[in-house]
Amino acid sequence: MSGIAVGGATAVGWWLTEVEDDGRGPVVAGPFPTRAEAGWATADHAAGTVETVYGVRRPDGRVKRRPSPQEWAWLAHLGEQLGRLPAEWEDTIEDEDPLTTLVVEVTAALAEAGLPLHDATGDDGALGGAVLRCEPDLDGIVVTWRQHERMSVDQVHGAAADDAVQQVMSRAVADVLAVRGFAVEAFGGGCGHVVRRAA
């Protein structure tokens, strides 16, 4: 492992590097123990001239990227969300199928927006969330929203509120995915949407 020695150990952390036309430039400052501290240090530089990078400093003064703790946490969260997909998905599509990649991308987009997948068979099944259904014949996946059981099953606020909130959340999920660049088309009378890769 190459890097600079700090107290006899190679320094891994957040760095400020120059922004260059052909990629990441040399180190300007660092290492910083947190992304926030590196972010604060950017205030000492003109806007757009430096960026924060996680990794180790190479002998040539540039940073060799490493996955940051935040990236590892994100991947763990994404894996947990994908683990909520129904078991029958494995019988519907193969790992190499383009729909598999689409499912991962849609799940990531929803998770980044703070919208969890519905965990139909888990302990949190009553909480609701986005429901993804594979539709190979439609060359896409159908995305719907499931509300908390207090709204959808118990209807503690009445059927009208249940229906209205369902419509709002269905549109919100569709809008999030459209903003993220997916092709989104109403399906099933608007209660769900077919999501495909944009052409």
Side-chain angles (χ1 to χ4, degrees):
M1 176 190 302
S2 62
I4 63 170
V6 177
T10 302
V12 179
W14 289 96
W15 303 83
L16 289 187
T17 63
E18 289 181 15
V19 174
E20 295 182 346
D21 292 339
D22 60 348
R24 190 171 302 110
V27 168
V28 174
F32 300 92
T34 66
R35 182 169 47 188
E37 289 180 59
W40 281 107
T42 63
D44 297 334
H45 304 274
T49 62
V50 294
E51 64 180 332
T52 58
V53 179
Y54 188 83
V56 294
R57 185 175 178 175
R58 302 184 325 202
D60 66 359
R62 296 177 188 271
V63 175
K64 180 177 182 180
R65 276 193 75 119
R66 296 278 171 87
S68 70
Q70 290 83 356
E71 288 169 312
W72 285 119
W74 161 249
L75 290 173
H77 176 67
L78 180 58
E80 186 272 330
Q81 290 297 302
L82 290 168
R84 295 178 174 201
L85 292 170
E88 57 263 21
W89 274 79
E90 295 177 13
D91 300 330
T92 307
I93 55 176
E94 301 292 327
D95 287 345
E96 299 78 24
D97 192 306
L99 286 181
T100 301
T101 304
L102 179 62
V103 167
V104 173
E105 292 171 350
V106 166
T107 301
L110 293 172
E112 288 169 343
L115 299 170
L117 292 192
H118 179 239
D119 190 4
T121 59
D123 295 337
D124 295 332
L127 301 182
V131 178
L132 308 184
R133 193 174 79 228
C134 184
E135 292 291 345
D137 293 341
L138 298 174
D139 194 31
I141 57 176
V142 173
V143 180
T144 58
W145 184 258
R146 169 142 177 124
Q147 299 177 77
H148 194 289
E149 286 186 0
R150 281 178 55 82
M151 288 290 287
S152 62
V153 177
D154 301 335
Q155 295 197 343
V156 295
H157 302 290
D162 172 42
D163 183 57
V165 170
Q166 182 64 37
Q167 289 181 35
V168 167
M169 288 305 299
S170 180
R171 280 194 308 269
V173 169
D175 289 347
V176 165
L177 295 173
V179 165
R180 288 297 307 275
F182 296 98
V184 180
E185 176 186 336
F187 178 80
C191 64
H193 293 82
V194 178
V195 179
R196 302 179 181 97
R197 240 184 220 94

